[in-house]
Amino acid sequence: MSENSSIRIERFPAELLEGASVPRTSDFNVATSRGFHERGLEAEALATLATIQIKDSSTLTAAYDDAAVAPSLHAGKPVATYASFPGTLNVGGGVLLPAHQITSVTVSPTHRRRGILRAMITEDLQAAHAAGLPLAVLTASEATIYGRFGFGIVAERVRFSLKTGNGVKTRVPAAGTVIAIDPAELDTLAPEIFAAAHSTTLGSVSHCTFDVGNAAGRWEDFDALSPIKNLRAALHLDAQGTVDGFITYEFSGWKSKSPGMAIGQMCALTGAARRELVAYLGEHDLVEEVTGRGPVDDVIPLALENSRDYKVTRMGDHLWTRILDLQAVLAARPYGCDGSISLGVRDDLMLAHGAWELSVANSVPSVRRAPADLPVDATLDIRDLATLVMGLRSASNLAEAGVLTAHTPDALASLDALFATTSIPYCQADF
């Protein structure tokens, strides 16, 4: 911020004192709640939220306008919020890289277009880079904000509906069994299932405290942080009786146009677990549809006798990633073949700006900065490099979109081969 600005930015940990959220933590969370148009949080919910943030080692950043005076809501209260906490991102091959998870980003409509968000996010990303973190991740409520800070889309997600009026008829017999459980059991079961899925899923982000409590029914959302009254749950057991997935769900109600089951969370380690948990919901009497979220390459429609019973009702971006340490990220992920390529990377924050060389020999990558006068094979922005690195889009696809420029005849073929993945990135987590 400029020297003449009345905006002051403070960074602090979430805090509790004698079971109650301390004022600056409460003020931060009230401001965040207002920014997302949620209901006002009561004292008990504020303490619960602070407890969650403390368990996740969250750092809260708040912007204050020292020129604001009563009766302004911003007199001594945040005009903008921004939080972060540590996690990991699966970049392929079971490699879990430390990730700087960003959440709770809001700016009051009275203080927009003053550069407040730019100041907060730039300072935070630079600090994360200085601390040695290789990348930052977030889920975006708006698609036009974060690209200008170097974040690229790395995972998409769909919402689906499945007609179940006559049950769910699949082409293959069940490989395991489903048992109904009390959602409270997931307090102890969910963390292990989450972690197992995270270790094998490209694009997955590690679970946080809220995820476990939500699965167990202790809280539905950040709106009120109250228990979910009608939540149900089930486990999937493989042929050996080992737990390999869970699902939580609620009945949509008799007043719905199509009474059905709405999936809350589903975490499955195998395609069999996923399709059989969904089929289980369709076996409930008087249920006409199942609704939920899932990966772009969902196994469910392929497994159905009538694939048209499955409809994608919405598809869009979900996880965004900002590369902070390009050398660490490129050196961590697996590659589809041996080869070498040089890249010119544009980065407005100058964290990864410049020319880079990637060489892969015997499946072992080597990454270094290239000489400044070296002609590069291709040029792209740091945001599009994230999309390429995670395998969401190929270099050829990025080139067709006009966001990657190839300078040599073989550049696209080399990049496509090097960065090929065997699966489409998928992130279950919301944060």
Side-chain angles (χ1 to χ4, degrees):
M1 307 301 296
S2 68
E3 293 182 4
N4 297 324
S5 174
S6 61
I7 302 300
R8 169 175 48 88
I9 296 176
E10 291 188 4
R11 182 177 294 178
F12 50 90
E15 299 168 295
L16 279 172
L17 181 62
E18 297 178 355
S21 178
V22 302
R24 67 176 179 177
T25 299
S26 292
D27 290 346
F28 176 95
N29 287 324
V30 168
T32 302
S33 179
R34 185 184 299 119
F36 286 103
H37 313 303
E38 297 169 345
R39 291 173 292 177
L41 297 172
E42 302 294 337
E44 183 177 352
L46 287 168
T48 298
L49 182 50
T51 300
I52 293 171
Q53 292 167 329
I54 291 169
K55 287 183 178 179
D56 288 338
S57 301
S58 297
T59 297
L60 313 183
T61 301
Y64 302 87
D65 185 352
D66 290 334
V69 295
S72 169
L73 289 174
H74 298 126
K77 310 291 185 183
V79 300
T81 62
Y82 181 105
S84 62
F85 60 99
T88 56
L89 171 68
N90 188 322
V91 296
V95 178
L96 307 181
L97 276 185
H100 186 62
Q101 293 187 236
I102 297 168
T103 187
S104 303
V105 180
T106 73
V107 179
S108 169
T110 59
H111 288 73
R112 291 189 183 280
R113 298 176 180 84
R114 296 196 193 181
I116 297 175
L117 173 58
R118 178 168 291 279
M120 290 195 301
I121 196 168
T122 299
E123 179 184 330
D124 180 67
L125 292 176
Q126 289 173 338
H129 174 262
L133 289 166
L135 46 82
V137 294
L138 55 81
T139 58
S141 55
E142 296 182 55
T144 58
I145 297 175
Y146 298 101
R148 64 180 183 266
F149 300 110
F151 285 86
I153 303 169
V154 299
E156 297 169 319
R157 189 167 69 175
V158 304
R159 291 184 180 272
F160 71 88
S161 65
L162 177 64
K163 290 171 58 178
T164 60
N166 297 313
V168 178
K169 295 181 174 60
T170 59
R171 297 167 53 195
V172 294
T177 57
V178 176
I179 60 172
I181 63 168
D182 186 323
E185 297 288 344
L186 292 173
D187 251 334
T188 54
L189 292 171
E192 183 175 344
I193 300 171
F194 277 138
H198 177 47
S199 69
T200 59
T201 305
L202 173 66
S204 172
V205 172
S206 51
H207 72 274
C208 60
T209 301
F210 179 86
D211 296 330
V212 178
N214 176 257
R218 283 189 282 130
W219 42 69
E220 186 167 7
D221 50 37
F222 288 108
D223 206 341
L225 289 168
S226 55
I228 310 175
K229 294 181 180 180
N230 300 310
L231 190 69
R232 302 178 186 183
L235 292 178
H236 185 270
L237 312 179
D238 67 15
Q240 288 71 46
T242 302
V243 175
D244 62 356
F246 76 85
I247 192 168
T248 65
Y249 56 99
E250 294 178 84
F251 179 59
S252 64
W254 296 115
K255 295 183 179 180
S256 301
K257 182 178 179 180
S258 299
M261 293 298 188
I263 298 172
Q265 291 203 46
M266 177 164 54
C267 187
L269 306 188
T270 66
R274 180 171 176 81
R275 64 179 188 261
E276 290 168 26
L277 284 167
V278 172
Y280 161 75
L281 297 190
E283 295 304 318
H284 287 69
D285 288 337
L286 308 176
V287 169
E288 297 179 15
E289 72 171 352
V290 171
T291 58
R293 299 173 298 193
V296 174
D297 57 343
D298 203 336
V299 299
I300 295 172
L302 289 174
L304 296 173
E305 286 188 1
N306 183 358
S307 61
R308 294 184 182 181
D309 285 343
Y310 177 100
K311 299 289 185 184
V312 172
T313 57
R314 183 179 178 184
M315 175 179 169
D317 62 86
H318 181 54
L319 185 69
W320 296 63
T321 293
R322 209 296 179 189
I323 295 175
L324 301 174
D325 184 336
L326 185 148
Q327 187 169 25
V329 172
L330 290 185
R333 60 149 288 166
Y335 291 89
C337 62
D338 287 356
S340 61
I341 198 80
S342 59
L343 295 172
V345 179
R346 297 183 297 269
D347 184 352
D348 289 344
L349 296 187
M350 305 306 290
L351 301 180
H353 190 81
W356 296 85
E357 286 184 312
L358 166 66
S359 297
V360 182
N362 298 318
S363 299
V364 178
S366 173
V367 185
R368 70 182 184 94
R369 280 197 175 273
D373 58 349
L374 177 75
V376 295
D377 297 311
T379 303
L380 74 171
D381 192 84
I382 189 68
R383 63 183 290 186
D384 301 304
L385 181 60
T387 303
L388 176 65
V389 167
M390 290 301 296
L392 182 65
R393 298 287 188 270
S394 68
S396 293
N397 189 255
L398 294 172
E400 288 292 333
V403 297
L404 182 152
T405 302
H407 304 297
T408 58
D410 299 329
L412 294 181
S414 295
L415 285 168
D416 287 347
L418 281 167
F419 288 96
T421 62
T422 57
S423 60
I424 297 174
Y426 175 58
C427 175
Q428 176 179 321
D430 291 289
F431 55 94

